Amino acid sequence: MPRALGSLSASGEPEHSQDARRLRPEERSGGPAGQVTQPAGGARRRSCSQERMAMAATGAEVKEPQRHNGCLVRLSNPHLATMKEDLLYHFSLGTGTHDFPAMFGDVKFVCVGGSPSRMSAFIKYVAAELGLGRPDEDHPNICTGTDRYAMYKAGPVLSVSHGMGVPSIAIMLHELIKLLYHARCSDVTIIRIGTSGGIGLEPGSVVITRQAVDACFRPEFEQIILGKRVVRNTDLDEWLVQELMQCSSELAEFNTVVGNTMCTLDFYEGQGRLDGALCSYTEKDKQAYLHAAHAAGIRNIEMESSVFAAMCSACGLRAAVVCVTLLDRLLGDQISSPHEVLSEYQQRPQRLVSYFIKKSLGKA
């Protein structure tokens, strides 16, 4: 299948102007990073279908890339200053029992992914690439007191599992960001590496997310807090997107594109699959939805990117999402490639991000 319209080639050059769009909902109001945003001026919300048509037809200018040299992790919670001890329950770590600056103060790169086994494999790979250990060397799980998440460290790289879906990664991110804050880390880059379903891409293609959007193609993360709707933007770091694309061009190992990523709350109905236990729509409905998504610049679908982008942006973390596509959703719903093929696909984001880290440290 030819590369989809609106994607970027491995050289980083746009093949079609649509993918250069940065979607901006008309109702979002401005404000400091991390603060609540609400529909501006009481503007009436459009329906999902109206949003999809608008996103497919219009766009906003691309921000100039920015580098965040020397930035400290920031929190947006005044209550933490009054706490004598901060217990990161799901990590089984706490400021009263662990010396965070000594344990994590040198961290510059944080990579997060769904499963503990994948993140264990990643830390072994990146450690060997950086000359910090043998390929077969084990790296202990720092979160041994819990089975919720796993965490591994090699030099300036931290590798953490986040489970599946928005709730799981959100819980992990709250505690991870506080860990980085308590450790007084600075100039941290955090990257989600994972798998996804592609839209109009060959299986095995890697998508670097320009912007995370919701199931109505809006570039926002919505959460109900104390009974009220709270919206945060889902911008990701443009400079980091370009750096990762350049690294892929230098590696020249697999097809890589830049595009928007749709984050859903479900693997089945939320992503328009026809093979779940429940389904109330037709193949024609599904195809119309996925083609509208493609027209809006969306190149893949997963279940974590929106809250990841929102929380990292609010806390001053330079962030990116790099996911491999396991199938083309325009052609089917079930992932049927052989295990060894899928395993190799899953290694592609790891190889790209590892190369980026090596290059950033001057070891490439």
Side-chain angles (χ1 to χ4, degrees), residues 1 24 40 55 61 76 84 142 149 153 162 165 202 221 243 245 267 279 306 317 324:
M1 177 181 297
R24 294 277 192 268
M55 295 297 183
E61 62 181 311
S76 184
K84 293 182 179 180
I142 297 171
Y149 303 105
K153 186 177 183 296
H162 59 59
E202 290 279 0
F221 172 66
E243 283 295 299
M245 200 67 204
F267 183 80
C279 184
S306 62
L317 288 164
V324 69

Side-chain angles (χ1 to χ4, degrees), residues 11-306:
S11 66
E13 293 299 321
E15 295 182 345
H16 193 277
S17 61
Q18 278 187 340
D19 244 17
R21 294 172 179 164
R22 295 183 62 76
L23 309 180
R24 294 277 192 268
E26 295 177 357
E27 66 188 27
R28 186 193 302 160
S29 62
Q35 292 191 1
V36 175
T37 60
Q38 301 287 356
R44 182 180 178 182
R45 287 184 58 80
R46 293 179 292 185
S47 68
C48 285
S49 59
Q50 288 173 322
E51 289 283 355
R52 288 196 292 269
M53 289 190 294
M55 295 297 183
T58 64
E61 62 181 311
V62 177
K63 288 183 178 179
E64 286 299 316
Q66 293 182 353
R67 298 195 63 164
H68 298 184
N69 293 324
C71 285
L72 295 171
V73 178
R74 63 176 183 262
L75 303 181
S76 184
N77 181 359
H79 304 291
L80 292 175
T82 67
M83 296 169 55
K84 293 182 179 180
E85 178 182 2
D86 191 2
L87 177 63
L88 309 186
Y89 171 73
H90 300 90
F91 286 162
S92 190
L93 299 171
T95 56
T97 54
H98 298 80
D99 186 344
F100 282 17
M103 294 174 67
F104 305 107
D106 63 338
V107 169
K108 296 296 181 184
F109 304 94
V110 181
C111 298
V112 302
S115 71
S117 62
R118 185 184 304 164
M119 302 320 293
S120 176
F122 174 75
I123 203 66
K124 291 179 182 178
Y125 177 77
V126 74
E129 288 291 295
L130 296 176
L132 300 174
R134 302 184 308 276
D136 59 344
E137 183 176 340
D138 285 329
H139 295 265
N141 177 13
I142 297 171
C143 300
T144 54
T146 179
D147 59 359
R148 295 293 184 184
Y149 303 105
M151 180 185 298
Y152 309 93
K153 186 177 183 296
V157 183
L158 197 63
S159 177
V160 190
S161 68
H162 59 59
M164 186 182 298
V166 164
S168 183
I169 192 174
I171 293 169
M172 187 281 293
L173 284 171
H174 274 284
E175 299 189 9
L176 172 63
I177 292 170
K178 290 197 297 176
L179 180 154
L180 297 171
Y181 174 82
H182 291 310
R184 298 194 286 273
C185 296
S186 65
D187 201 23
V188 175
T189 296
I190 179 168
I191 303 176
R192 168 171 140 68
I193 52 178
T195 59
S196 64
I199 302 181
L201 295 174
E202 290 279 0
S205 298
V206 171
V207 178
I208 302 170
T209 303
R210 184 183 299 285
Q211 194 167 51
V213 302
D214 66 12
C216 291
F217 309 167
R218 297 184 294 248
E220 62 185 37
F221 172 66
E222 175 182 334
Q223 187 172 11
I224 304 301
I225 301 175
L226 300 181
K228 298 179 180 179
R229 178 178 179 267
V230 176
V231 174
R232 295 185 172 101
N233 76 70
T234 56
D235 290 338
L236 291 162
D237 190 272
E238 182 68 19
W239 174 85
L240 188 51
V241 169
Q242 294 181 13
E243 283 295 299
L244 287 164
M245 200 67 204
Q246 179 60 34
C247 287
S248 179
S249 178
E250 293 169 10
L251 282 175
E253 294 181 1
F254 39 76
N255 181 44
T256 303
V257 302
V258 170
N260 294 330
T261 295
M262 181 163 65
C263 179
T264 68
L265 302 181
D266 168 52
F267 183 80
Y268 287 96
E269 290 181 292
Q271 297 186 10
R273 280 184 159 84
L274 302 174
D275 59 342
L278 302 174
C279 184
S280 59
Y281 43 85
T282 66
E283 169 72 20
K284 183 178 179 181
D285 296 333
K286 166 195 155 182
Q287 289 293 333
Y289 178 71
L290 294 180
H291 278 88
H294 187 275
I298 296 168
R299 294 296 171 263
N300 64 332
I301 312 172
E302 45 87 273
M303 296 186 291
E304 293 87 16
S305 60
S306 62

